[in-house]
Every structure is written in C-alpha cells, then in structure tokens.
C-alpha cells in the first residue's frame, strides 16, 4: 500500500479548508476542457469567478458588476472588461444587460445592441458555456473537428496576420532603394523562422520584458523561456514558421509558472 504524502506546509498554515464549509460541483469533462485550453491566468480567473457565482449557487446565470469580478480576481476593471469581451467572442462565456436593471428596448437605455454590453448600467447577467465543443479559442484540440493542432492556434479564432506593407506615403523611389539595400538580408530572414523570430525579438525587446514583468517572470526566467522557444522553433521549423510572433510569445509566457505574483493592471498589446 502506497503511503500518502504529508503536506509539509500544513503545520505553518492558519487555515483548514474543508468541503463541509462549501464546494463547487463541475463536470469532469468541463474541468478537463478548462485544463487543456490555453487560457491566460487572467482569463481563467474570470471564468472561475463566473462559475463560482453560478454553479456555486445552483444557477445557470448570475447578475454581476464588473467591479465584483475585478475585486474577486484581483484584476483591474479595465483589464476585466477586455477579458470579458474576449471570452464572449470565443464563446466561453455569454453576457447581456440584466433585465432587472435595464430595459434594453431602445438606444437611449444605454444598451449597445450589437455587442450586448450595457454601458449605462454596471450590471450584466453572465453565464459560463459548458459546451466546450463550441469554444473558439487557442486550444491544442479543435473540439469540432477532433483534430489535434500542435500549433495550438484555432485558425477560426485567430486569423492570420496580413503580410506587411509599406505606408501609403512611401514614394516608389524610397521603396525601391529599401528593397535593393535589404534584398539579400530579407531573403535569408524570410527563409529561416529562427532568424525571423530573433529579429522580431530584438525589435520588441522592451514589450517582451514588460509583459514578462507583469506576469511575474524575472529576467533570468525570461531568458530561459526564450531559449526554449528557440529550441522549439529550430527543432521543428515547419511548426515554428509563424508570422504572429507577438501572439506566440504572449501565449508561451502565459503558460509559464511565474516566480512571483502577477500584476494584471496593464498588459501591453503585442
């Protein structure tokens, strides 16, 4: 018989949580879907908050203020709103103006009928979509097709970034000169994913450092993760042949266990 492990930190704890004091029931399939989906820490916190306020009280939906979600998840209200809109677009959650606080009949009520967001009333009704096969987000498995995409990007949710183009105010002479001067270098970089990755990394080092700091990832840990990314890209150039390096790095760092507590007050766009 295997001897159960003893918690080495139990003796120093001042709390002793027990199921008798309250617990949340969730279907195993849904739990596994949440585990395998590549949500960021902030996204998962918001999802769990909505589950807590609905499943926790045997309700399908619940009326909440964004300030309540922000307070319970320790995320700023501004970033909370971004997460809520993103999760709704990915069909992970659904919300609409609460009928108890807004009529939703005309535009003067403050309801944006296109987005379903009530801009005048701080309260919306929220529900968690347990039908995970309808989610549209970055997951290793496309639940609709049953195909495992190792790149982890659902193409329906994240359309490919359009090819780069020069601003309209560039003259043809300037364009020709830049093309001639960088022709050889661009060809080499374009043909090699790792070189494109390093070029993007060099040009956006400040943004990468900033988001790593927000996620609680130190400089040494960031260097180690960058090295892992390069190893992954070199090991499989076909999978590493990406155009959205910002989204790739952001997604990768979102799955890294930080060495310190994260700060979600601001996440820069990459």
């Amino acid at each position: 018989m295997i001897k159960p492990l003893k918690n080495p930190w139990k003796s120093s704890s001042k709390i002793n949580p027990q199921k008798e004091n309250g617990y949340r029931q969730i279907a195993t399939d849904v739990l596994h879907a949440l585990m395998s989906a590549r949500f960021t820490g902030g996204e998962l916190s918001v999802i769990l908050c909505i589950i807590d306020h609905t499943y926790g009280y045997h309700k399908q939906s619940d009326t909440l203020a964004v300030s309540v979600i922000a307070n319970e998840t320790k995320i700023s209200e501004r970033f909370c709103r971004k997460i809520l809109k993103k999760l709704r677009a990915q069909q992970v959650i659904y919300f609409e103006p609460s009928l108890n606080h807004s009529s939703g009949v005309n535009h003067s009520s403050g309801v944006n009928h296109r987005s379903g967001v009530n801009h005048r009333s701080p309260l919306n009704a929220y529900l968690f979509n347990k039908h995970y096969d309808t989610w549209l987000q970055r997951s290793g498995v496309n639940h609709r097709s049953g195909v495992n995409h190792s790149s982890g990007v659902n193409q329906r949710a994240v359309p490919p970034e359009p090819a780069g183009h020069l601003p309209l105010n560039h003259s043809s002479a300037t364009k020709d000169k830049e093309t001639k001067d960088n022709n050889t270098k661009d060809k080499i970089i374009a043909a090699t994913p790792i070189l494109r990755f390093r070029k993007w990394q060099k040009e956006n080092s400040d943004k990468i450092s900033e988001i790593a700091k927000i996620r609680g990832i130190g400089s040494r840990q960031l260097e180690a993760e960058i090295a892992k990314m390069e190893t992954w890209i070199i090991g499989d150039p076909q999978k590493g042949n990406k155009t959205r390096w910002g989204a790739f790095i952001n997604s990768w760092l979102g799955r890294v266990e930080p060495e310190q507590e994260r700060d979600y007050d601001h996440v820069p766009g990459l």
Side-chain angles (χ1 to χ4, degrees):
M1 182 177 179
I2 300 176
K3 185 178 180 181
L5 290 175
K6 290 185 178 181
N7 188 343
W9 303 287
K10 181 178 180 180
S11 59
S12 59
S13 175
K14 297 180 180 179
I15 61 175
N16 187 26
Q18 297 293 330
K19 191 171 70 172
E20 291 75 12
N21 298 328
Y23 64 94
R24 303 295 180 249
Q25 290 182 324
I26 184 170
T28 302
D29 287 351
V30 176
L31 179 62
H32 289 171
L34 290 171
M35 291 165 55
S36 62
R38 298 181 178 180
F39 294 116
T40 65
E43 291 167 358
L44 188 57
S45 294
V46 170
I47 292 171
L48 293 177
C49 180
I50 294 174
I51 290 176
D52 180 47
H53 281 271
T54 53
Y55 287 15
Y57 297 91
H58 306 287
K59 296 189 295 184
Q60 182 176 353
S61 64
D62 192 23
T63 300
L64 296 168
V66 176
S67 59
V68 172
I69 301 176
N71 181 63
E72 294 187 1
T73 59
K74 309 304 180 186
I75 301 174
S76 69
E77 286 191 36
R78 181 181 59 80
F79 192 38
C80 250
R81 295 180 191 277
K82 290 183 178 180
I83 293 176
L84 289 168
K85 290 179 181 179
K86 180 179 179 181
L87 291 175
R88 184 184 180 187
Q90 295 174 344
Q91 299 180 186
V92 179
I93 66 169
Y94 177 74
F95 58 84
E96 62 183 27
S98 174
L99 297 178
N100 295 329
H101 296 272
S102 175
S103 64
V105 174
N106 54 54
H107 293 283
S108 62
S109 65
V111 178
N112 185 324
H113 297 277
R114 176 175 295 181
S115 66
V117 178
N118 187 344
H119 294 291
R120 177 166 296 180
S121 171
L123 301 180
N124 285 306
Y126 297 86
L127 68 79
F128 167 69
N129 176 22
K130 66 179 180 180
H131 302 282
Y132 53 85
D133 60 334
T134 64
W135 295 353
L136 301 175
Q137 54 91 231
R138 290 175 293 180
S139 171
V141 178
N142 184 326
H143 296 286
R144 287 186 171 179
S145 65
V147 178
N148 190 334
H149 297 286
S150 56
S151 65
V153 179
N154 185 322
Q155 297 299 332
R156 296 186 60 191
V158 186
E161 191 174 56
H165 59 276
L166 291 171
L168 296 178
N169 61 354
H170 263 261
S171 65
S172 59
T174 303
K175 179 179 178 180
D176 292 339
K177 184 177 184 302
E178 291 177 351
T179 302
K180 182 178 179 180
D181 292 343
N182 299 293
N183 188 39
T184 303
K185 181 179 179 181
D186 289 345
K187 283 184 177 180
I188 296 174
I189 293 177
T192 312
I194 187 62
L195 293 182
R196 293 206 312 273
F197 173 74
R198 289 172 178 170
K199 180 175 182 290
W200 192 96
Q201 177 191 346
K202 183 178 180 181
E203 294 172 349
N204 298 272
S205 58
D206 291 342
K207 290 183 179 179
I208 297 173
S209 298
E210 185 178 2
I211 195 170
K213 182 179 179 181
I214 290 170
R215 294 185 179 281
I217 299 174
S219 57
R220 291 185 179 180
Q221 189 178 11
L222 176 60
E223 291 177 0
E225 293 302 324
I226 293 294
K228 292 178 183 178
M229 295 180 203
E230 293 188 353
T231 301
W232 183 83
I233 295 170
I234 294 172
D236 198 332
Q238 185 175 0
K239 293 180 181 178
N241 190 17
K242 300 178 180 296
T243 57
R244 295 171 58 87
W245 292 117
F248 168 71
I249 294 175
N250 192 22
S251 176
W252 184 292
L253 295 181
R255 299 190 297 272
V256 174
E257 186 66 23
E259 297 175 347
Q260 61 189 43
E261 187 176 354
R262 298 178 181 180
D263 177 10
Y264 290 101
D265 284 342
H266 175 63
V267 171
L270 289 179

